[in-house]
Amino acid sequence: MPKQQVEFINRDRELEVIQSATQDWGTVQVLCIQGVGGIGKTRFLEEIGIRYIDTSVQGKPILMPETIDFDDYAMQTSGTLQRKLSQLLGEKTFASYLQRAGDWRKMEVAGVSPERLHEESRKVHKSFVDCFSQLAAKHRIILRFDSTDTLEESELWKFLLSLGVELTNMVLIIAGRNAKNLFEDIQLQGGVNVQLIELQPLEWEAQEQYLQQKQSLLHEKIDPALAEKLLYLSQGRPIWIDLAVEWKAQDIPFDWLVNSKIQDFKSLSAKQVEEFESHLVEHIIQIRTDMDKLILTMSHVYPLDEKLIGDILNVSTEKASELFEEAQMHAFIKNLPDQRISLHDEMRRMINDYVWPEIDQDGDRLQRDSRIAAKYFEKKVKEFEEKIEKLETKPEAVSDAFLDRDALIRMLDPAILQQVKYTLFWDIKKGLSLYKNLMQKARQISRIGLAEKMERTIQPFIPSLSPAQKYQVDIIRGRLLNDLGRPKEAEKLLNKLLEENRNIPECASDIYNALGMSEVHLGRLDLALQYQLKSLEIAEEQNMKRFIPVLLNVIGYIYRMRGEWAESIQCYRRAINEALRADATLDTIAGIQNNLGYVLSLDGKYDEAARYGEQAIKIWEKLKAEKKVGDEKVGMSETTLGAIYRYRGDYDLALKYHKQSLTRFEEPKDSEQLVRAYFHLGFTQWFKGDEEKNLDWYVLARESFEKSRELAEKYFHIKELPRILHETSHIYWGLDQRDKAREVNNKAYEIGKEVRDIHYAINSLVAKAEFDFDDGKYDDIPSYADILKKEYEDEGYHYPLFYGRMRRILAEVAFVKKEYETSLSYYAEGLTLIMQHGGYGRWLIDRELAMLEQKLLKLPPKTAHEWSTKFKEYWRKQEPQEKYGVMVSWCDQQIVEAKLRSES
């Protein structure tokens, strides 16, 4: 049943401005409605809705969705606001925008770089603007926004500023106490027709009319002398008249007003205004009725639905429903979408100012209500998460009402934020613990947008935190800034934290670890390694058993990024030992074993690598049987084991594990693992075809790589693309699709640099040189080599295989040009670097030496003898000598071969 309202009065001038703006077809008009609390801004927006519904301009319809009230917590992000508007304006018109918005959400979950997410969010916004423009070509659109008070300087504030510039054929009406600030900000940016409408207090005659109508609605009669005093006190604010009459109708005594003198109110001081406000809400202090309890509750916990009313007031479902309906009849209650209600912000302010300090001096009641609200939102979070999980695992079992995963996430996120907020109110320690856990989870699943919102949610509580608690919030923010792709900001914050906490070992270790990750993001691996080693040193001194294996795992990863396999292996080995010493969980150990097995295979220790890979699978199988992990964990290690066997040259066994791993993954839940599984399958098929000189395997490899790329692009696993594209380019080259090969490899190089995949950025650069050499195009090869040396080798990146291959290509170019001294020098250096790594597949040192042997056979025997002798002298000097023994032995054979040729 809708609430009865006083007839709209005394705003004719303001409505004329609205009328003029509305009728000006084709233009964009921004109207900022400014006014103090209780002056009637919300009522003004409602009246606009009543007057212009089902109307037209120049014979074309006006389209005006319901008012968006930012008092609704769920509306306080630009993405949610755009989705809500698209829903209200017509989802069919906004279908392309909704598709892009859904894709953006997939990108966020997939862990796409913040830079790419930002770029894609701009495209999503452009799609919204394009869809809006299509609709605006046929309709004059009026958008109304209320309660902008909490938005200033926020992301949503900036979004509102942009709307006037980007949208077309629209009237944008924005109401709030700070609407004047928005007006001034819009004026500053220029190019927008913006007007400020300042709602003034009702004039005396209008107040009398309003009071009379309010009494009639409530069948109440106020003594004229009392009414006159009330009108002086209300100062033309309708909300105060509403409150006074509604309280009088409920027999709430007005002795304080009856016993006062009229002359006391004709010139009000600030103190008298405060006294009036306090008198308007003082009866709530007595908490005589359930409605008093509800109003008090809504001043702190909002919005409310029937279920939350029942929980906090501890009343039956029937009583909660009755109160919910009764509350909506009051003028100071807002009706929000989705069957929720909220207190008028002016009423909320007065209760917080005058009631809570009187009835809850120790904060017990606020804590009690907060605890109940926190528990309520905890249940809502679980409910939404279960529906999302069900949707992902068994979509056929989900009812039609919950088919939209994105819609579920839009409901989940505000519930999480409310849970955090009220838990912090209830118990700061519990709230901080919840905040830390949820932030870690959000970061792990790449919900960085949610993490940002939680970070904003905790800000009002920071003054209440102890220095130790504030540190915990700051270190989380530092890690979040890294996730957001803002490592320089993170570095600045973390260095400040280090100055403040250098003498607290646990904090210092944590900060060095976070700083190390900042440097990884910045591509400064030397400094990243220094920070992580410092973090490890402190952790070992303090015997931080559980942290040590985690750090060693990270350090092993950095060494691997630098191409330093031996050091990486050493770290992973220690990580396993420390994990066992700390009694770490089996899943931690299996993850480290998986990493160790992979890097062992890169270093040519295939048998040992395979043993670690097999044991990791065994652990995952056990945990799977105990229902602690899913099948995807087994598949992940099977993919790794397949790669290990590929590097060993055991292609049939590798194919077995790759195909087996594919059966473990489900789309879309395991899309990232599927991307990797198809990639490694294609890699193995390629190597098998290379060994057997069989292009049929190349065709199969191309299909697997293309499937991997399709999934990576579909689910926006952008970080996987550099290696997929690079390796696919070799397949295209082998199939003589050379233009396609160059195009794909160039893209791999650009994306590799964008997502900081140093390994494949370098690999793709070397491939550019290889392709040019095969095509007999030698001019650009020195420039590729120069980039490789200056940007990577000289900067401390340790990739001897790639550096060796580039020098070998330079050697081949010099050989073709008969610059033999230069060629010999490059061959000596290049094959030394390749031997440092050991090579794999087509780049094994044995194959490199075989190709060099073919070059020697083209030289006169005497020259071949000289080359072989010089190679032998060079390689005998390398350390450790035993590693290069096979190369020295090869030189002896070539010297003998040259002698045979000279004497034949």
Side-chain angles (χ1 to χ4, degrees):
M1 179 176 171
K3 70 179 72 174
Q4 292 180 298
Q5 295 194 93
V6 173
E7 180 184 338
F8 192 77
I9 57 175
N10 199 223
R11 301 293 186 204
D12 293 340
R13 184 186 62 80
E14 292 88 348
L15 286 171
E16 286 177 7
V17 176
I18 302 294
Q19 170 72 8
S20 175
T22 302
Q23 296 302 307
D24 197 359
W25 176 272
T27 65
V28 173
Q29 306 281 337
V30 180
L31 306 173
C32 298
I33 313 299
Q34 167 83 19
V36 296
I39 203 70
K41 298 181 292 297
T42 299
R43 181 73 177 85
F44 187 68
L45 292 178
E46 289 174 356
E47 183 65 20
I48 293 169
I50 293 168
R51 295 199 178 205
Y52 292 100
I53 193 164
D54 298 328
T55 58
S56 62
V57 177
Q58 298 180 12
K60 296 180 181 179
I62 286 177
L63 187 59
M64 180 171 49
E66 66 187 40
T67 299
I68 300 291
D69 194 326
F70 295 121
D71 219 13
D72 181 356
Y73 216 75
M75 287 295 105
Q76 293 188 5
T77 67
S78 59
T80 305
L81 177 59
Q82 286 182 106
R83 288 177 179 85
K84 182 66 175 179
L85 286 172
S86 68
Q87 175 189 342
L88 295 173
L89 291 169
E91 292 189 354
K92 286 185 179 179
T93 305
F94 286 83
S96 60
Y97 155 75
L98 291 169
Q99 177 65 48
R100 271 199 175 274
D103 289 344
W104 185 92
R105 181 75 72 181
K106 292 175 187 174
M107 291 178 70
E108 184 192 30
V109 173
V112 172
S113 71
E115 296 89 345
R116 180 67 187 274
L117 274 177
H118 177 70
E119 180 61 30
E120 288 299 321
S121 68
R122 290 172 58 187
K123 294 178 181 177
V124 172
H125 178 66
K126 184 179 183 304
S127 179
F128 173 83
V129 172
D130 290 345
C131 292
F132 189 96
S133 298
Q134 292 175 25
L135 190 64
K138 299 178 181 178
H139 301 81
R140 182 68 166 159
I141 300 174
I142 303 177
L143 300 181
R144 294 168 294 161
F145 298 123
D146 198 6
S147 305
T148 59
D149 307 64
T150 61
L151 304 181
E152 205 157 351
E153 301 305 321
S154 68
E155 166 216 12
L156 195 49
W157 183 267
K158 295 171 185 173
F159 173 74
L160 291 177
L161 289 176
S162 72
L163 289 183
V165 176
E166 297 175 314
L167 301 186
T168 56
N169 197 20
M170 169 196 68
V171 181
L172 179 62
I173 307 173
I174 305 171
R177 297 184 201 184
N178 61 348
K180 187 174 183 180
N181 295 346
L182 188 65
F183 165 75
E184 290 170 351
D185 285 352
I186 294 173
Q187 271 194 323
L188 282 174
Q189 72 179 11
V192 180
N193 188 355
V194 58
Q195 298 182 67
L196 179 66
I197 300 176
E198 297 197 62
L199 295 186
Q200 300 298 326
L202 296 178
E203 296 174 357
W204 187 266
E205 185 178 338
Q207 286 191 81
E208 289 182 314
Q209 185 181 351
Y210 192 97
L211 177 59
Q212 185 60 46
Q213 289 189 28
K214 185 71 178 181
Q215 291 179 84
S216 297
L217 283 175
L218 298 183
H219 308 290
E220 184 63 36
K221 182 66 176 176
I222 297 178
D223 178 79
L226 183 63
E228 186 179 11
K229 295 175 186 178
L230 177 61
L231 293 181
Y232 275 116
L233 283 168
S234 70
Q235 301 179 84
R237 298 193 197 189
I239 186 69
W240 286 356
I241 299 174
D242 286 324
L243 279 172
V245 178
E246 289 185 19
W247 291 165
K248 185 71 172 61
Q250 295 178 48
D251 295 324
I252 293 168
F254 276 70
D255 294 344
W256 58 274
L257 191 56
V258 171
N259 297 329
S260 58
K261 297 178 180 180
I262 188 68
Q263 56 264 30
D264 294 338
F265 302 117
K266 291 184 177 180
S267 179
L268 291 172
S269 66
K271 184 177 180 181
Q272 286 175 302
V273 172
E274 288 181 6
E275 288 176 352
F276 174 50
E277 289 181 344
S278 67
H279 284 311
L280 280 176
V281 293
E282 67 181 355
H283 70 277
I284 296 174
I285 294 172
Q286 308 301 320
I287 316 181
R288 297 179 307 164
T289 67
D290 286 331
M291 182 53 62
D292 289 339
K293 293 179 185 177
L294 177 57
I295 292 168
L296 184 62
T297 295
M298 270 196 289
S299 68
H300 177 60
V301 180
Y302 59 92
L304 293 178
D305 60 13
E306 290 184 24
K307 176 67 171 61
L308 189 47
I309 290 172
D311 286 352
I312 291 185
L313 300 188
N314 193 25
V315 296
S316 67
T317 302
E318 293 75 16
K319 183 62 176 177
S321 180
E322 180 185 321
L323 285 167
F324 185 78
E325 292 297 323
E326 182 186 345
Q328 293 179 69
M329 303 307 296
H330 288 288
F332 52 82
I333 300 292
K334 290 183 180 181
N335 299 334
L336 297 177
D338 305 324
Q339 293 298 302
R340 293 177 300 160
I341 56 175
S342 183
L343 203 59
H344 189 289
D345 55 359
E346 189 67 4
M347 184 68 169
R348 186 185 307 139
R349 178 189 64 78
M350 289 191 293
I351 293 174
N352 282 313
D353 284 351
Y354 306 117
V355 178
W356 281 109
E358 291 294 323
I359 67 169
D360 195 36
Q361 294 178 8
D362 56 5
D364 285 351
R365 188 182 183 98
L366 275 173
Q367 286 185 319
R368 185 192 72 84
D369 287 357
S370 297
R371 176 178 57 80
I372 295 170
K375 295 292 184 184
Y376 168 85
F377 284 110
E378 180 183 10
K379 289 179 183 176
K380 296 296 286 185
V381 167
K382 287 180 180 176
E383 175 189 325
F384 292 135
E385 287 179 336
E386 285 170 3
K387 286 175 179 175
I388 291 169
E389 183 180 359
K390 196 173 183 181
L391 184 64
E392 291 175 339
T393 55
K394 295 181 180 178
E396 71 282 355
V398 180
S399 66
D400 290 344
F402 296 105
L403 286 179
D404 186 351
R405 182 182 185 278
D406 195 40
L408 283 170
I409 289 176
R410 291 201 303 273
M411 291 186 282
L412 169 64
D413 286 2
I416 289 174
L417 298 174
Q418 295 281 67
Q419 182 192 1
V420 171
K421 173 184 173 182
Y422 291 113
T423 305
L424 285 162
F425 264 116
W426 159 35
D427 186 315
I428 198 76
K429 288 183 180 178
K430 284 185 172 67
L432 185 57
S433 177
L434 174 68
Y435 173 76
K436 287 164 60 181
N437 291 336
L438 288 176
M439 284 291 280
Q440 183 179 14
K441 181 179 177 182
R443 291 177 58 239
Q444 284 174 343
I445 62 174
S446 300
R447 291 295 318 284
I448 304 304
L450 173 60
E452 278 191 285
K453 294 172 198 169
M454 281 195 286
E455 203 266 338
R456 288 196 293 270
T457 298
I458 203 172
Q459 291 304 310
F461 298 91
I462 287 179
S464 303
L465 300 179
S466 68
Q469 290 171 329
K470 188 175 183 301
Y471 162 76
Q472 294 176 50
V473 174
D474 285 340
I475 190 70
I476 290 172
R477 174 163 176 74
R479 294 188 184 280
L480 177 60
L481 286 169
N482 278 332
D483 295 337
L484 290 168
R486 292 151 61 185
K488 289 184 178 179
E489 290 179 53
E491 188 180 37
K492 183 177 179 181
L493 170 62
L494 292 167
N495 276 316
K496 181 175 179 292
L497 277 183
L498 189 60
E499 288 177 19
E500 298 168 350
N501 297 275
R502 195 183 300 273
N503 296 324
I504 306 173
E506 288 193 6
C507 295
S509 180
D510 205 19
I511 296 166
Y512 278 122
N513 171 250
L515 274 169
M517 296 317 298
S518 297
E519 299 307 328
V520 168
H521 284 288
L522 290 166
R524 301 195 293 236
L525 294 186
D526 283 348
L527 195 51
L529 186 59
Q530 289 177 36
Y531 283 137
Q532 297 297 353
L533 289 172
K534 184 64 176 175
S535 178
L536 177 63
E537 178 188 334
I538 297 170
E540 289 174 331
E541 287 173 356
Q542 299 299 313
N543 199 25
M544 297 160 61
K545 292 182 180 179
R546 294 195 175 276
F547 195 34
I548 290 171
V550 175
L551 283 169
L552 287 166
N553 197 28
V554 171
I555 294 168
Y557 167 74
I558 293 175
Y559 275 127
R560 192 182 113 195
M561 288 272 289
R562 286 161 57 97
E564 298 176 55
W565 317 132
E567 291 80 1
S568 179
I569 290 166
Q570 183 183 3
C571 279
Y572 286 132
R573 289 193 200 281
R574 280 195 62 203
I576 291 174
N577 290 331
E578 294 292 344
L580 291 170
R581 209 162 66 89
D583 195 25
T585 55
L586 280 172
D587 60 329
T588 298
I589 293 169
I592 299 171
Q593 285 185 321
N594 187 79
N595 295 339
L596 175 56
Y598 185 73
V599 77
L600 279 166
S601 69
L602 294 176
D603 200 40
K605 298 178 174 65
Y606 306 117
D607 293 340
E608 186 182 4
R611 288 196 296 273
Y612 277 113
E614 287 162 359
Q615 191 168 50
I617 291 171
K618 187 176 179 180
I619 292 173
W620 293 129
E621 289 280 17
K622 170 181 165 54
L623 294 175
K624 175 191 162 190
E626 296 170 356
K627 297 186 177 180
K628 293 179 179 178
V629 300
D631 218 22
E632 72 281 356
K633 289 291 188 180
V634 182
M636 178 190 73
S637 284
E638 285 176 337
T639 299
T640 301
L641 188 57
I644 290 168
Y645 285 128
R646 175 181 70 243
Y647 289 139
R648 191 171 78 175
D650 197 339
Y651 302 127
D652 290 333
L653 192 53
L655 288 170
K656 171 193 166 185
Y657 277 104
H658 289 320
K659 290 175 181 177
Q660 197 166 292
S661 74
L662 283 169
T663 66
R664 307 278 189 185
F665 305 125
E666 296 178 15
E667 188 182 343
K669 181 170 69 77
D670 305 315
S671 59
E672 187 172 14
Q673 294 301 331
L674 274 169
V675 167
R676 292 172 182 170
Y678 276 111
F679 168 79
H680 283 290
L681 174 61
F683 214 148
T684 301
Q685 289 166 331
W686 166 31
F687 274 31
K688 185 172 177 63
D690 208 34
E691 182 180 73
E692 297 179 0
K693 308 300 181 190
N694 183 344
L695 289 182
D696 289 342
W697 282 106
Y698 271 58
V699 174
L700 291 173
R702 181 183 64 194
E703 291 172 359
S704 297
F705 281 141
E706 288 176 348
K707 178 64 175 177
S708 181
R709 178 180 179 178
E710 174 192 330
L711 288 166
E713 291 176 341
K714 180 179 180 181
Y715 295 106
F716 300 98
H717 298 299
I718 308 301
K719 291 181 180 178
E720 301 294 320
L721 281 175
R723 62 177 177 172
I724 297 169
L725 293 165
H726 169 75
E727 305 302 356
T728 307
S729 73
H730 286 291
I731 299 300
Y732 284 130
W733 195 265
L735 292 172
D736 205 29
Q737 299 176 31
R738 299 196 167 193
D739 289 342
K740 184 70 172 176
R742 289 181 184 279
E743 173 194 335
V744 170
N745 183 64
N746 288 341
K747 192 170 184 178
Y749 177 61
E750 294 303 326
I751 297 177
K753 290 193 296 181
E754 177 189 338
V755 301
R756 304 184 186 93
D757 187 335
I758 304 300
H759 182 278
Y760 273 97
I762 292 174
N763 209 345
S764 301
L765 193 57
V766 174
K768 286 174 178 267
E770 288 177 333
F771 292 164
D772 277 8
F773 180 79
D774 283 356
D775 261 352
K777 299 175 179 177
Y778 306 139
D779 291 347
D780 292 332
I781 292 176
S783 68
Y784 301 145
D786 190 50
I787 292 170
L788 186 64
K789 189 165 192 317
K790 287 182 179 178
E791 295 186 10
Y792 299 102
E793 189 172 359
D794 291 348
E795 290 298 315
Y797 296 99
H798 190 70
Y799 288 94
L801 178 61
F802 298 142
Y803 303 150
R805 284 166 54 194
M806 184 64 86
R807 283 173 172 79
R808 188 254 297 149
I809 295 167
L810 290 170
E812 290 177 339
V813 171
F815 193 93
V816 169
K817 294 181 176 180
K818 298 184 179 181
E819 297 169 357
Y820 293 126
E821 287 299 320
T822 301
S823 179
L824 187 150
S825 177
Y826 277 133
Y827 269 125
E829 288 181 33
L831 268 63
T832 299
L833 288 166
I834 291 171
M835 189 63 202
Q836 280 183 23
H837 175 275
Y840 60 87
R842 55 168 46 197
W843 298 292
L844 281 167
I845 192 64
D846 291 345
R847 295 186 66 165
E848 295 287 350
L849 290 171
M851 289 191 294
L852 179 55
E853 183 175 348
Q854 294 304 308
K855 290 290 190 294
L856 292 178
L857 290 174
K858 294 179 180 179
L859 295 173
K862 181 180 178 182
T863 305
H865 184 280
E866 290 174 359
W867 274 43
S868 301
T869 302
K870 288 181 180 179
F871 284 143
K872 181 178 178 179
E873 290 173 358
Y874 188 88
W875 288 329
R876 282 182 65 180
K877 296 176 183 176
Q878 304 304 313
E879 296 289 344
Q881 291 184 358
E882 59 272 17
K883 185 177 182 74
Y884 296 91
V886 65
M887 299 176 77
V888 172
S889 175
W890 177 86
C891 290
D892 287 337
Q893 294 170 26
Q894 300 313 308
I895 289 169
V896 172
E897 180 64 30
K899 183 174 177 62
L900 283 171
R901 285 171 55 206
S902 67
E903 294 181 2
S904 63

